[in-house]
Amino acid sequence: MESSHVVGRHTTLLGRLDECAVLDSLVADIRRGDSRSLVLDGEAGIGKTALLDYLVASVSDLTVVRAMGVESEMELAFASLHQACAPLLDRLERLPVPQRQALEVVFGLSAGAAPNRFLVALGVLSLFSEVAAERPLLCVVDDAQWLDQASALTLAFVARRLQADPVGLVFASREASEALVQIRRLEVHGVRNGDARTLLESALRFKLDEPVRDRIIAETRGNPLALLELPRGLTATQLAGGFGLTEAQALSGRIEDSFVRRLSTLPCDARRLLLVAAAEPLGDPFLMRRAVEWLGLDPVAARAAEAEGLLAISERVTFRHPLVRSAVYRSATVQDRRSVHLALAEVTDREADPDRRAWHLAAAAAGPDEQVASELERSASRAQGRGGLAAAAAFLQRAVALTEEPGRGADRALGAAEASFQAGAIEAAVRLLGVARTYGLDGFQSARADLLRGHIAMVSRYGNEAAPLLLEAAKRLEPFDLSLARRAYLTAWSAAVSANHLGGADVLAEICRAVRALPPLPPDPHPLDLVIEAFAVLIIDGHAVATPLLQRAAKAGMQLPVEDVVRWGFQVPAASHATWNDNAIEIYERQAQVVRDAGALAELPIYLQSVALERTWLGDLSGAARLVAESESISTSTGIQVPPFALLRILCLQGRQAEASELIAGVIERGTAQGQGQGVLVAYWSAAVLYNSLGRYEEAASAAREVVTKSIFPLLWMWALFELVEAAARIGDAKLGCDALDRLAATTQPAGTPFARGIEARCRALLADGDDAEESFGEAIEQFSRTRLRPELARTHLLYGEWLRRKGRRVDARERLRTAHEMFVSIGMEAFAERASRELLAAGAIVRKRSPETRDELTPQEEQIARLARDGRSNPEIAAKLFLSRRTVEWHLGKVFSKLGISSRSELRDALPSAARERALM
């Protein structure tokens, strides 16, 4: 332990005045009702544990929970989280039912289906908030670099989502953890020379030569544990000459070696008792005692370990430092480790804790053991039932190592690879695929392996490499599992569309031909089978043939089962878009709610972005911005980033030229380099909209042509075509406009929807003259009035008004232009509004400036909370919907009331538009 001294009323660690001040400030903030989180970063032995102990000792008035990462349990899902939450589980009844049930399942309090890990995270967030409502809460986590993945992600989520709760989370980690990367960090360095000398001298029993002392301080870089431990076990002669100091060893290894030297002086039974404690990371003294008895060790051996200062046994068994545990376990012989794990397996209750028992049995096995491997398989199944994919993968990996029969080994290795992939452990999945292939896979197993390889390529690079792999996998799956083969074709299709013109064109055509060659669909096919069939027909035969099937697929997609929504659902609404329907938002909103209810927070940002895009078509830019804000907030919590396509669309419709241009350029540059053709073309489509709004028609035509000539899937070039027609009409390129209109009509006429008729009529009006143009503008306005597509209706009024002004009909022009201007202003399409304003001035009208509304002062998150409260949602309901704590919702509402100048929820109805009015405006 580091030495300490008193400063004022506090005991401060020697050489740690600055670090202790940071911790004191953190505690003061928590006591004032704020949430704080911090990661102490530093090498082994640098003093992080001592700082945590200092922190805990200074907060007797707070509720404190502790957890520790354990290297041997990194694959066991939620193992460390259980340490932190176990003292708080008596408050579970206060949580919303879905959150309570999720925690009960993962902590083994009840059986149930696998909860999503982020629903678990939300449950822990609510649990911490409830506890903090009674008394401020401090959660301290040591050795965070060894947290199991599920615990690390959950605690990081909680740390980032707490805003207005008196909760502190402080982690200590040897290295930067990916899960904790966005949390404030405090780098812990070695103590300065004067304090280092004091620490070193406190560990010496004799005077040390000054040069040797300075060398030790320099080599340890002021590492407190090294300064205290390295001299132990070395003779005065060795230290005097410096011969006991090795140069080639890493510092943590040298500290461990000092502990190993101390172990060598202990009796044999004491060393084996320490090994039992090191192999049993729960720190259960009763379990350790039973294992010690099973091994026939002398119980008095514990006193020797405690006397040496290596171990403490009370309510929990704890080592003086994590490196003691590491030194004990790594210095033991393989045979001793196996015997200790066997003892722990024998004394572990096979009914209450079968998974930990199986884990110990696996560690005790000297070779292949089918009985233990089967136990591990059952443990993997239970782990998946608790939502622990990483744990399932770990159990299966151990099962593979204990499997002798090739067929079983291949199945288990593939299962482990698939579970690792789903858990996000890409490198492990690739390695396990290699292991599976060493068994000599049969045809079905080989096809499954290829499908997984394609999946890995798709999600890890999002480039043009995945589509060919997935196509080959789908072909190979056909003889074994036709349903799985169709899913593989759908995934391959997605990968090809994502690559688009940067490598996906030939593959897409081959995918579609292969799908058309499959056996006919049954009379009542699965919605996803309809989707891939419809897309294949669309690519091969065109809109006229594909439209009825696309419409059927879109309708069936509304009933897509939950498990398919989470994995594949975002593909289905494209069938609605391809037939010029404006009902895709209903599908996306239903899917987003399904994903939200399932607690699949990792997937939710994708759906929120999709709903946001749909809201831009309806003219609800503020609603779209709120969804983007929520999506980004969740992405920040999970570390899973979604491309900024919805934000691009919002910025371009708003006409925010500088921001939009920068984002467009970045997406094009990155997408081109990485083979992400779809992203590149979305950026060009967005640019065409922006340039049309600004009246830069040459640039709009150029951007739209990029999409129309390069896109391999109709969706984007359909939308780009009407931008191209408008730009072509303005620059006087009749041939370009007519060619674009002909291609557009081939998609709109089979659809026959108001959207299709309206957009075709508007484009015909732009290229016509006289009565034909006026008649087409009238039809376009009539058709768009039957839709919810307010931006397109406003643009049609604008184009009609511009045409009328050029014809000298200024009075008629002012009526249309004023309607367009008011709609653009109400939507927030500022560049289009400015374009309408210039036309109005040219037509002799006076344009009044817009006065901003009070609600524009609210942040997107505040506005979202305010609207939910206005609509009658309680604070717990809002918290669950937005993945916040109840107190954070209360905090935001307080800011909303202050900004709006109101004092109660009932006044929100007057301060904000009603939900009915918002729907009417859409």
Side-chain angles (χ1 to χ4, degrees):
M1 297 292 290
E2 291 187 46
S3 299
S4 60
H5 61 282
V6 175
V7 176
R9 295 178 298 167
H10 301 287
T11 300
T12 305
L13 296 171
L14 182 65
R16 295 296 183 206
L17 281 173
D18 293 342
E19 291 87 347
C20 289
V22 171
L23 296 178
D24 291 342
S25 176
L26 179 144
V27 170
D29 290 341
I30 296 169
R31 288 187 174 118
R32 282 195 298 270
D34 298 325
S35 62
R36 292 290 182 268
S37 57
L38 180 68
V39 177
L40 301 175
D41 264 336
E43 64 186 18
I46 202 66
K48 303 182 299 296
T49 300
L51 285 167
L52 293 183
D53 290 340
Y54 164 83
L55 176 63
V56 171
S58 68
V59 293
S60 58
D61 57 323
L62 272 62
T63 299
V64 179
V65 293
R66 301 192 74 158
M68 176 180 289
V70 178
E71 189 174 13
S72 63
E73 292 212 339
M74 288 181 70
E75 294 89 356
L76 293 178
F78 302 111
S80 298
L81 185 68
H82 188 249
Q83 299 176 35
C85 293
L88 314 177
L89 294 182
D90 58 333
R91 277 86 158 186
L92 281 182
E93 290 298 325
R94 305 180 191 176
L95 304 189
V97 173
Q99 298 173 29
R100 185 186 73 233
Q101 291 175 340
L103 293 186
E104 287 174 344
V105 170
V106 299
F107 293 147
L109 301 177
S110 66
N116 185 275
R117 68 186 184 193
F118 295 110
L119 185 60
V120 175
L122 185 59
V124 175
L125 175 67
S126 297
L127 182 63
F128 280 14
S129 181
E130 287 296 330
V131 172
E134 303 170 4
R135 192 164 69 157
L137 173 68
L138 175 67
C139 177
V140 172
V141 183
D142 204 354
D143 271 333
Q145 76 278 355
W146 286 337
L147 286 173
D148 61 275
Q149 184 186 40
S151 294
L153 289 172
T154 299
L155 290 169
F157 172 90
V158 172
R160 288 190 291 263
R161 301 298 286 184
L162 287 164
Q163 296 180 30
D165 299 84
V167 177
L169 284 90
V170 181
F171 304 85
S173 181
R174 292 189 197 174
E175 54 197 36
S177 166
E178 186 175 344
L180 306 178
V181 71
Q182 293 173 351
I183 299 175
R184 177 191 171 202
R185 319 188 77 75
L186 174 63
E187 191 76 26
V188 182
H189 300 286
V191 296
R192 296 181 179 88
N193 284 346
D195 294 323
R197 284 193 293 273
T198 302
L199 278 175
L200 180 60
E201 289 166 0
S202 71
L204 293 171
R205 299 179 300 277
F206 45 81
K207 184 174 177 58
L208 191 65
D209 290 348
E210 190 170 326
V212 176
R213 181 198 64 192
D214 292 343
R215 179 185 174 188
I216 291 174
I217 291 172
E219 287 188 351
T220 59
R221 301 184 301 280
N223 183 294
L225 187 64
L227 290 166
L228 293 171
E229 291 298 330
L230 282 178
R232 294 177 185 254
L234 295 176
T235 66
T237 303
Q238 286 175 310
L239 283 172
F243 301 118
L245 306 175
T246 59
E247 296 182 0
Q249 229 173 345
L251 183 58
S252 61
R254 288 154 61 183
I255 300 173
E256 277 193 26
D257 282 350
S258 73
F259 287 128
V260 170
R261 289 194 298 270
R262 292 171 65 183
L263 292 171
S264 65
T265 65
L266 294 175
C268 177
D269 277 10
R271 292 199 301 273
R272 295 197 75 194
L273 181 142
L274 285 167
L275 182 57
V276 172
E280 199 295 290
L282 284 183
D284 183 342
F286 302 104
L287 187 63
M288 189 183 82
R289 188 176 299 121
R290 291 197 297 272
V292 166
E293 291 173 357
W294 194 90
L295 289 165
L297 303 179
D298 185 354
V300 178
R303 297 177 188 169
E306 288 188 286
E308 185 62 20
L310 300 174
L311 192 73
I313 303 175
S314 56
E315 294 180 357
R316 288 178 63 185
V317 180
T318 56
F319 284 92
R320 175 191 175 186
H321 191 277
L323 288 178
V324 178
R325 181 193 297 276
S326 177
V328 169
Y329 195 81
R330 294 182 186 183
S331 65
T333 66
V334 172
Q335 186 56 45
D336 279 347
R337 290 184 200 170
R338 286 176 181 158
S339 66
V340 163
H341 280 294
L342 180 60
L344 288 166
E346 291 296 328
V347 300
T348 298
D349 191 321
R350 68 179 63 213
E351 297 297 330
D353 202 352
D355 300 338
R356 203 172 298 275
R357 180 177 180 275
W359 192 265
H360 284 306
L361 285 173
D369 189 321
E370 182 56 36
Q371 184 176 351
V372 176
S374 296
E375 286 285 342
L376 289 168
E377 267 193 310
R378 287 188 283 274
S379 291
S381 178
R382 284 189 292 268
Q384 285 185 313
R386 295 191 299 271
L389 286 168
F395 282 124
L396 287 171
Q397 287 185 56
R398 293 218 170 186
V400 170
L402 299 179
T403 303
E404 194 166 29
E405 198 275 310
R408 283 180 177 270
D411 271 338
R412 285 167 178 163
L414 280 174
E418 289 165 350
S420 297
F421 170 66
Q422 293 172 19
I426 303 297
E427 291 183 6
V430 172
R431 178 178 57 79
L432 286 161
L433 275 175
V435 172
R437 292 189 183 281
T438 64
Y439 286 98
L441 304 178
D442 63 28
F444 183 44
Q445 291 170 334
S446 181
R448 282 176 56 200
D450 287 346
L451 177 59
L452 182 55
R453 283 180 60 231
H455 265 127
I456 291 171
M458 183 176 176
V459 303
S460 60
R461 291 181 288 277
Y462 291 101
N464 49 23
E465 303 171 6
L469 297 173
L470 290 163
L471 171 60
E472 183 61 28
K475 290 178 177 178
R476 298 187 64 194
L477 284 166
E478 283 187 37
F480 304 104
D481 188 332
L482 190 57
S483 177
L484 184 58
R486 290 184 187 275
R487 300 297 182 276
Y489 278 123
L490 182 59
T491 308
W493 174 85
S494 299
V497 170
S498 180
N500 217 290
H501 63 293
L502 298 179
D506 293 341
V507 182
L508 184 67
E510 189 175 351
I511 291 166
C512 294
R513 288 193 295 268
V515 171
R516 294 299 306 279
L518 293 174
L521 294 176
D524 187 23
H526 191 284
L528 291 174
D529 295 343
L530 273 176
V531 170
I532 187 58
E533 185 77 17
F535 287 151
V537 173
L538 176 62
I539 297 299
I540 293 174
D541 300 319
H543 274 82
V545 178
T547 293
L549 192 57
L550 286 165
Q551 291 170 335
R552 185 181 170 200
K555 184 177 180 180
M558 290 293 292
Q559 308 303 320
L560 198 64
V562 171
E563 59 272 17
D564 288 321
V565 167
V566 172
R567 191 170 183 183
W568 313 101
F570 70 95
Q571 322 245 18
V572 174
S576 285
H577 286 307
T579 55
W580 294 98
N581 249 309
D582 63 351
N583 67 342
I585 190 167
E586 279 85 8
I587 304 175
Y588 275 129
E589 285 182 335
R590 183 252 175 183
Q591 291 176 342
Q593 192 59 49
V594 166
V595 173
R596 193 191 295 277
D597 291 344
L601 195 57
E603 292 82 12
L604 185 56
I606 298 171
Y607 293 91
L608 293 174
Q609 291 273 347
S610 299
V611 178
L613 280 169
E614 294 307 309
R615 288 197 174 277
T616 65
W617 283 103
L618 306 185
D620 183 14
L621 300 189
S622 61
R626 291 194 299 273
L627 289 165
V628 169
E630 182 181 356
S631 173
E632 291 175 347
S633 176
I634 295 170
S635 292
T636 299
S637 296
T638 63
I640 301 171
Q641 297 300 317
V642 179
F645 297 151
L647 180 58
L648 258 177
R649 174 80 169 151
I650 293 168
L651 293 176
C652 289
L653 285 176
Q654 290 174 329
R656 292 159 64 179
Q657 182 181 351
E659 296 170 75
S661 297
E662 182 179 357
L663 194 56
I664 288 168
V667 171
I668 290 173
E669 181 180 359
R670 289 189 299 273
T672 301
Q674 298 170 12
Q676 299 167 356
Q678 184 81 339
V680 171
L681 295 181
V682 167
Y684 277 118
W685 167 57
S686 301
V689 175
L690 176 66
Y691 292 139
N692 271 333
S693 75
L694 296 170
R696 292 160 56 178
Y697 300 114
E698 289 281 1
E699 293 165 278
S702 176
R705 268 196 298 258
E706 287 287 325
V707 184
V708 170
T709 58
K710 293 179 178 178
S711 179
I712 65 176
F713 185 61
L715 202 60
L716 273 181
W717 59 251
M718 285 165 52
W719 294 340
L721 279 171
F722 58 84
E723 301 297 339
L724 182 57
V725 170
E726 180 174 337
R730 287 292 180 259
I731 63 177
D733 192 335
K735 184 179 184 307
L736 178 63
C738 289
D739 289 345
L741 174 58
D742 289 344
R743 192 173 176 187
L744 181 70
T747 71
T748 56
Q749 290 178 8
T753 63
F755 187 3
R757 291 178 178 143
I759 205 66
E760 182 183 341
R762 189 174 86 193
C763 289
R764 288 194 185 281
L766 284 167
L767 299 174
D769 202 356
D771 292 342
D772 289 342
E774 187 154 19
E775 183 179 344
S776 292
F777 274 127
E779 181 184 356
I781 288 173
E782 179 187 354
Q783 293 295 336
F784 278 126
S785 296
R786 296 165 58 189
T787 74
R788 296 170 294 174
L789 306 172
R790 295 172 62 226
E792 299 311 317
L793 177 58
R795 290 180 69 178
T796 306
H797 280 294
L798 171 62
L799 291 166
Y800 190 13
E802 290 173 335
W803 182 84
L804 288 167
R805 188 189 66 77
R806 287 196 301 273
K807 294 300 179 183
R809 296 164 58 180
R810 300 177 70 188
V811 174
D812 294 336
R814 287 198 292 268
E815 180 183 352
R816 295 297 176 185
L817 292 170
R818 188 170 287 111
T819 299
H821 183 263
E822 289 175 355
M823 292 184 70
F824 288 138
V825 168
S826 68
I827 294 170
M829 297 170 65
E830 298 297 340
F832 276 109
E834 182 59 29
R835 179 173 147 187
S837 179
R838 290 195 301 268
E839 289 287 330
L840 274 168
L841 290 171
I846 298 174
V847 184
R848 285 189 292 270
K849 293 288 185 181
R850 176 194 181 193
S851 58
E853 299 180 26
T854 304
R855 66 174 183 275
D856 290 338
E857 299 174 5
L858 303 180
T859 67
Q861 188 171 61
E862 288 168 354
E863 187 174 355
Q864 192 169 26
I865 290 171
R867 290 169 187 269
L868 290 169
R870 174 206 62 191
D871 295 341
R873 299 288 189 96
S874 67
N875 287 356
E877 288 172 335
I878 297 172
K881 181 176 177 62
L882 301 184
F883 301 98
L884 300 168
S885 74
R886 173 180 54 79
R887 288 174 61 89
T888 296
V889 171
E890 293 171 356
W891 178 63
H892 277 302
L893 275 177
K895 294 171 69 178
V896 167
F897 290 172
S898 176
K899 287 183 178 182
L900 297 182
I902 61 177
S903 59
S904 69
R905 299 165 78 96
S906 62
E907 294 177 86
L908 286 169
R909 295 184 181 89
D910 296 325
L912 297 171
S914 69
R917 181 185 165 201
E918 287 176 350
R919 287 191 293 270
L921 290 174
M922 293 164 55

